[in-house]
Amino acid sequence: MLRTGIKRDQAVKVVSSACFKVKSTVKEIVAAKDILEILSQDFKDTERTTGQIGSSDKLSQNDFKFMDIVSQSIHQDKEGYYTMPLPLKDDFILPNNRWMAEQRLKNMTKRLARDKDYRDKYQDFMKGLIDRGEAEPANDHSTRHRWYLPHHGVVHPKKPGKVRVVWDCSSRCEGISLNDVLLQGPDLNNTLLGVLLRFRLGEIALSCDIERMFFQFWVPQEQRDFLRYLWYDENGDVCDYRMKVHVFGATSSPSCAIYGLKRLADDYGQQYPQAKKFIQNHFYVDDGLVSTDSTEEAAKMAQESIEMCKKANIRLCKFTCTSEEVLSQIPVSERADENSAQELLPQISSALGVTWLIDSDDFSFRLELKDTPLTRRGILSTVSSIYDPLGLVSPILLQGKQILKQICELGKDWDDDLPNDIRMKWEEWRTGVFS
């Protein structure tokens, strides 16, 4: 049974023989059943369930080239890691941009000097790259094809204690950047809408996460000099390093990582059928969301997925489930809260950005309407700040969007004062949201 608030006996009946007639000239008359089929395409993920990675007639020539490069070269090394090349375009010349990377490092060092906490977290991240073998010193300066990646730290608003270093692959030198010479690749993701809706089908809901997904897929040694960066050694001297894995910031990394994950599912799917089903159909980038009809199926799917991913040194972690019985069969270190199953389940989690109340297994929306100026800019900021990919709170947001439409029709500029009647409507809507 769907748990989205729509009952099965409330389904809309569609008469297959009905047709729509419009006044304007059209090329064909469309039957109601055809419209229903068109609308249902968004929910099917048809081409993702065939078992063929990237099988679609909508791929561009560059997408086909990307698929040829990665499919012909991807392999699993003796340590278990999947290695695939950077999907580079033909006929390009990258200049020597080390001077630019040096300047960016100097600017970054000034910021690090001002913020000790930020500096410590940044240094820990960079040290972790070397310790885990994801980066290595690059002392050979004789190689012809080199590119230096500037880097900077990103702090997630909801994770203030963590700094993630991102490589600026879009940084240009003499009019060109690394991203300019990389093929982006096709969108191999399952649809966001499809993953969320399938998450509401079964009685037992389960979610997990892939740790450092991009870093789980390695780059061949002959291409690693395209991923050089500058950082300080133990003596405080600036040295050359290079990444051994696909990096955050490269336009090709999402497609490469998703391709590698689906390839893993294909390679080991016969041994782990439940894991193959989970990874191929229920992941959106590095977030896995699935629902099953029994605790046995959910537990088996989780266990198989953990074991299969270990074959490629990929860690599935942050498991959360609506069933304590399922959680008890997942290693404590891989659970979201790292507590035993006897303790309270975490009350709130995030399912692809949507608030998920785990105990009641409901989606929830926290409307935090900030005190923005009563202007077109402020109202747009408020209305667009509510993330609702399923459209569940559209009836509530509709009135706010109608008010914004009125402002636009009046020709008001972004920071103009609003007429009193519109101000009253806006305040009435804000008050009603919290009533």
Side-chain angles (χ1 to χ4, degrees), residues 238-258:
V238 176
C239 294
D240 284 26
Y241 295 89
R242 62 182 186 179
M243 294 297 294
K244 299 165 64 176
V245 296
H246 291 264
V247 299
F248 294 103
T251 187
S252 59
S253 290
S255 292
C256 286
I258 296 169

Side-chain angles (χ1 to χ4, degrees), residues 74-135:
I74 188 172
H75 64 277
Q76 195 170 10
D77 65 21
K78 61 182 181 181
E79 295 179 354
Y81 293 101
Y82 275 91
T83 299
M84 70 185 83
L86 296 171
L88 295 166
K89 298 178 182 178
D90 296 327
D91 303 325
F92 65 88
I93 298 177
L94 291 176
N96 184 354
N97 71 328
R98 195 179 194 278
W99 65 269
M100 183 190 67
E102 290 175 344
Q103 185 60 47
R104 290 282 294 271
L105 180 62
K106 289 179 182 178
N107 295 337
M108 173 58 65
T109 303
K110 292 178 182 177
R111 181 182 175 186
L112 296 177
R114 295 193 301 265
D115 190 335
K116 182 180 183 303
D117 182 63
Y118 181 78
R119 180 178 71 246
D120 292 343
K121 291 183 174 63
Y122 207 105
Q123 290 174 337
D124 289 343
F125 187 98
M126 302 302 269
K127 183 176 183 298
L129 295 176
I130 300 295
D131 293 343
R132 292 188 299 268
E134 296 161 352

Side-chain angles (χ1 to χ4, degrees), residues 314-334:
I314 295 174
R315 183 191 175 200
L316 277 188
C317 57
K318 298 181 181 178
F319 274 90
T320 304
C321 186
T322 54
S323 168
E324 291 188 13
E325 181 182 345
V326 174
L327 273 183
S328 67
Q329 300 179 59
I330 297 174
V332 175
S333 60
E334 311 304 341

